[in-house]
Amino acid sequence: MVGDDQDWGERAACRTADPDELFVEGAAQNKAKAICTGCPVRTECLAHALDLRIEHGIWGGMTERERRALLRRRPLVTSWRRLLEAARSEDEQTPGAEDGQWGATG
């Protein structure tokens, strides 16, 4: 992934957002997820949350419920960072591939 493990947060679209906007429930989650749209480090953020099993908040455009479901569907993944990195590389090499299909990759 582009950049160092420690600096992706400095490039995140949400870096100036009020944290209370990202740790919401119900319909407000859709507004929070919209902040992630087009974020340059969305993949790094999602991988971070999945690898560390972060239970609360919007990370990489996914709610805690969506992340739990993804973790249940893919219990053998040991490094989401590695998996998402490989998927992104594959996407970049495939003409017309859609970005952001976390659950369908690998």
Side-chain angles (χ1 to χ4, degrees):
M1 297 199 180
V2 178
D4 180 84
D5 283 341
Q6 305 303 314
D7 73 354
W8 64 263
E10 295 170 12
R11 297 177 285 125
C14 64
R15 72 186 170 282
T16 59
D18 179 348
D20 289 339
E21 293 177 27
L22 302 171
F23 294 87
V24 293
E25 295 180 6
Q29 290 180 328
N30 290 328
K31 182 179 177 186
K33 286 170 57 170
I35 295 171
C36 303
T37 303
C39 179
V41 294
R42 184 175 176 177
T43 303
E44 290 88 339
C45 180
L46 179 58
H48 174 79
L50 291 168
D51 282 338
L52 296 180
R53 304 298 196 262
I54 296 174
E55 295 185 18
H56 303 287
I58 303 298
W59 292 83
M62 293 183 89
T63 66
E64 55 267 23
R65 179 178 284 176
E66 292 166 334
R67 291 191 310 276
R68 279 193 307 269
L70 182 55
L71 289 167
R72 279 193 306 273
R73 284 194 308 269
R74 305 292 302 271
L76 301 178
V77 174
T78 57
S79 172
W80 285 94
R81 178 188 167 114
R82 220 175 343 199
L83 178 69
L84 294 176
E85 231 175 31
R88 182 166 57 188
S89 293
E90 188 176 303
D91 254 7
E92 290 169 354
Q93 295 173 11
T94 305
E98 285 190 37
D99 191 22
Q101 301 300 315
W102 315 123
T105 305

